[in-house]
Amino acid sequence: MTDRFDQHVVRHRMKLLRDDGDMTLYENRDGVACPACEDPFSRLLLTERRAHSFDASGSGRFCVVHEDERLVVCMHE
């Protein structure tokens, strides 16, 4: 596992759902591994915002990785 999750390496395996400059949301289309637990995630949130809130509907789990300048949140179903 690397120190920083590089979404550009696996970009072809995910679908971009939203990108507003400091927050990006992807859907995992091809079993990309979570940088925290190494299980495939369903959605990936990358944010440089200091604070972020989002709807946590559903019964899945979340994995969080804090990198130098961003937060990586993987949602598992």
Side-chain angles (χ1 to χ4, degrees):
M1 206 170 354
T2 62
D3 292 306
R4 181 174 169 87
F5 181 80
D6 189 351
Q7 74 273 17
H8 303 292
V9 171
V10 293
R11 173 66 184 95
H12 63 283
R13 299 171 61 194
M14 300 187 299
K15 178 181 179 182
L16 179 64
L17 299 177
R18 184 180 313 151
D19 185 355
D20 67 5
D22 61 352
M23 188 279 299
T24 309
L25 181 65
Y26 291 98
E27 179 181 0
N28 192 351
R29 293 280 178 106
D30 191 30
V32 177
C34 172
C37 72
E38 299 184 0
D39 289 340
F41 56 84
S42 56
R43 294 203 174 188
L44 170 71
L45 173 74
L46 302 171
T47 184
E48 296 175 0
R49 297 178 186 169
R50 183 181 173 280
H52 191 85
S53 63
F54 49 93
D55 183 13
S57 61
S59 60
R61 75 179 196 276
F62 292 89
C63 288
V64 178
V65 175
H66 182 262
E67 296 177 344
D68 289 338
E69 296 184 12
R70 70 178 182 179
L71 191 63
V72 178
V73 181
C74 292
M75 294 151 261
H76 299 270
E77 290 183 347

